[in-house]
Amino acid sequence: MATRGRPRGFDRDLALQKIMDVFWAKGYEAAQLNDLTAAIGITPPSFYAAFGSKEQAFREAVSLYVETAGSGSMRALNTGETAQQAIRAMLLASIDVALNAPQSNGCLLILGVMNCQAETEPLYYLLKGVRKETVERVRARLERGVADGDLPQTTDIATLASYYGAIMQAISMQARDGARRPELEALVGPSLTALQQ
Amino acid sequence: MATRGRPRGFDRDLALQKIMDVFWAKGYEAAQLNDLTAAIGITPPSFYAAFGSKEQAFREAVSLYVETAGSGSMRALNTGETAQQAIRAMLLASIDVALNAPQSNGCLLILGVMNCQAETEPLYYLLKGVRKETVERVRARLERGVADGDLPQTTDIATLASYYGAIMQAISMQARDGARRPELEALVGPSLTALQQ
DNA sequence: CGATTTATATAAATCTGACTACAGAAAGGA
DNA sequence: TCCTTTCTGTAGTCAGATTTATATAAATCG
């Protein structure tokens, strides 16, 4: 059965990418419907028919981000022979992501919802959950490092996992503050000394 | 000559402290005039007569913060015999500040204005300037450490100053995400390994 | 005490931003 | 061709938030 009714006048997938870009550049609250509809080139009713609400559009944008732009650092975490190489690759990849942000800079998962008020609370916890998963993956990689013997048995894995999660947050904050690649990459070396005890 | 006209019905200094607390807890944009006037116990016209506008009130609150709550970490930076002791003291003090935040957590200078839009742009740059000063002071302390001989001549001072600025931002982010004292203090040890080459 | 000056409260003006009623347009199905 | 279905544009509603006009209250000065 073919689709009935008037066909949509724009590409929904392309529109979602632009939505992601706008949220990525401005964050959830600062991005207003004007920005979203203008970026897509549609009017509000078309937006609501296609995406339901600003909040639902954000959720879809986050999913897309996790699948595409945001996945680079997690893929990088699975490269490299040693845990240290993997962590370095992850941090460098997160710098790439931060600098690839359109307009503004930084990671959507870190900067997308900064204040937890009644209205934005569910979205705040959505992003917080994704960040927690990230730390979990770092922890798993460090555990493997201990098992592989490239980290000492005494390594405080939980602390270091949380530490590198914090470093990624710091990278995004610095990127948002206008830091360029050299300044961001300068953060990687010092942070890796924690693995060189 | 005595003050003419009806005297103010509230203590302006006390009111400014409450304004600081509200902005500290919620950030500039999330804090609405309702919250400010309710915290002080006055009505909007009294607020505007005393503080001019929400933006001017924020500027005064930032000044007060720098003089009081925020000065702890900078004072700590001047304690300790070695540069490493000083940095550790600074980080621990910034954890104290982050956990002393009313309601929410973190540093007003780091989390007070997160998105730089037309309206909040000047305030964003105000806070960014204060943060830059902080990094400058860290740099000066590290320079003294090299001069004192407790850091090697080859120390990359600019990089490390920026690094510890980033660590303080990370501490505030983690605190905002609900981290308690043990989790925050666990970030200090790994970050200090950068000085133990 | 009367005049002036300043603060307060009520209540509303003003503006912004998310969202939607309505009518018209473009497709498929009978 | 006519009906149903779905999308689109105009225009506007509605709620929330900062700011202010107006009248009243409380102080000092002459």
Side-chain angles (χ1 to χ4, degrees):
Chain A
M1 76 176 222
T3 58
R4 309 228 347 207
R6 176 174 174 174
R8 189 175 278 131
F10 60 96
D11 183 330
R12 194 184 186 280
D13 293 335
L14 216 62
L16 182 56
Q17 280 192 20
K18 301 201 171 170
I19 288 172
M20 182 186 80
D21 283 350
V22 171
F23 280 134
W24 192 356
K26 304 198 168 191
Y28 177 74
E29 306 192 69
Q32 49 201 43
L33 221 61
N34 257 347
D35 302 318
L36 297 169
T37 54
I40 304 173
I42 60 176
T43 54
S46 300
F47 178 90
Y48 281 90
F51 298 102
S53 69
K54 185 181 170 186
E55 174 172 344
Q56 284 184 16
F58 184 78
R59 291 177 183 276
E60 278 199 56
V62 169
S63 293
L64 178 61
Y65 183 87
V66 169
E67 290 166 11
T68 59
S71 69
S73 54
M74 289 302 98
R75 278 200 313 275
L77 186 61
N78 292 323
T79 68
E81 311 252 323
T82 67
Q84 183 174 335
Q85 285 168 359
I87 299 288
R88 163 176 272 128
M90 176 188 73
L91 295 179
L92 291 176
S94 80
I95 289 174
D96 288 339
V97 172
L99 293 177
N100 275 341
Q103 308 280 349
S104 181
N105 296 319
C107 170
L108 175 63
L109 303 175
I110 293 172
L111 301 173
V113 181
M114 285 304 299
N115 42 2
C116 175
Q117 327 171 228
E119 189 193 341
T120 57
E121 193 185 1
L123 299 179
Y124 174 85
Y125 285 112
L126 171 69
L127 295 192
K128 187 174 172 180
V130 178
R131 291 196 293 268
K132 193 171 180 180
E133 276 181 34
T134 299
V135 172
E136 272 306 299
R137 295 199 194 186
V138 173
R139 197 181 55 72
R141 184 62 188 87
L142 292 174
E143 268 175 3
R144 198 190 115 194
V146 171
D148 290 352
D150 51 74
L151 289 178
Q153 294 282 343
T154 57
T155 305
D156 186 345
I157 288 173
T159 290
L160 285 176
S162 156
Y163 178 67
Y164 288 110
I167 294 294
M168 288 202 290
Q169 285 181 318
I171 286 172
S172 274
M173 293 277 289
Q174 300 266 310
R176 158 115 350 163
D177 264 5
R180 315 293 298 175
R181 184 173 293 274
E183 294 127 276
L184 295 182
E185 289 185 346
L187 300 175
V188 174
S191 76
L192 287 175
T193 58
L195 295 175
Q196 296 165 339
Q197 292 286 25
Chain B
M1 74 178 226
T3 59
R4 310 230 345 212
R6 176 174 174 174
R8 188 175 280 130
F10 60 96
D11 183 328
R12 194 185 187 279
D13 293 335
L14 216 64
L16 183 56
Q17 279 191 19
K18 302 202 169 169
I19 288 172
M20 182 185 79
D21 283 349
V22 172
F23 279 134
W24 192 357
K26 304 198 167 190
Y28 177 74
E29 306 192 70
Q32 51 203 42
L33 221 61
N34 256 348
D35 302 318
L36 297 170
T37 54
I40 305 173
I42 60 177
T43 54
S46 298
F47 178 89
Y48 280 89
F51 297 102
S53 69
K54 186 182 169 186
E55 173 171 344
Q56 284 183 16
F58 184 78
R59 291 177 183 277
E60 279 199 57
V62 168
S63 292
L64 178 61
Y65 183 87
V66 169
E67 290 166 12
T68 59
S71 68
S73 52
M74 289 302 99
R75 277 201 312 276
L77 186 61
N78 292 324
T79 69
E81 311 252 323
T82 68
Q84 182 174 337
Q85 286 168 358
I87 299 288
R88 161 176 274 127
M90 176 188 73
L91 295 179
L92 291 176
S94 80
I95 289 174
D96 288 339
V97 173
L99 293 177
N100 276 340
Q103 307 282 348
S104 180
N105 296 321
C107 170
L108 175 63
L109 304 175
I110 293 171
L111 301 172
V113 181
M114 285 304 299
N115 42 2
C116 175
Q117 327 173 224
E119 190 193 340
T120 57
E121 192 185 1
L123 298 179
Y124 174 85
Y125 285 112
L126 171 69
L127 295 192
K128 188 174 170 178
V130 178
R131 291 196 294 266
K132 192 171 180 179
E133 275 181 35
T134 299
V135 173
E136 273 306 301
R137 295 199 195 186
V138 173
R139 196 180 57 71
R141 184 61 188 85
L142 292 174
E143 267 174 5
R144 197 190 116 194
V146 172
D148 289 352
D150 52 73
L151 290 178
Q153 294 282 344
T154 58
T155 304
D156 186 345
I157 288 174
T159 291
L160 286 176
S162 156
Y163 178 68
Y164 288 108
I167 294 295
M168 287 202 290
Q169 284 181 319
I171 286 171
S172 274
M173 293 277 288
Q174 300 267 310
R176 156 113 355 159
D177 264 5
R180 315 293 298 173
R181 183 173 292 275
E183 295 126 275
L184 295 182
E185 289 185 346
L187 299 174
V188 174
S191 76
L192 288 175
T193 58
L195 294 175
Q196 297 166 338
Q197 293 286 22

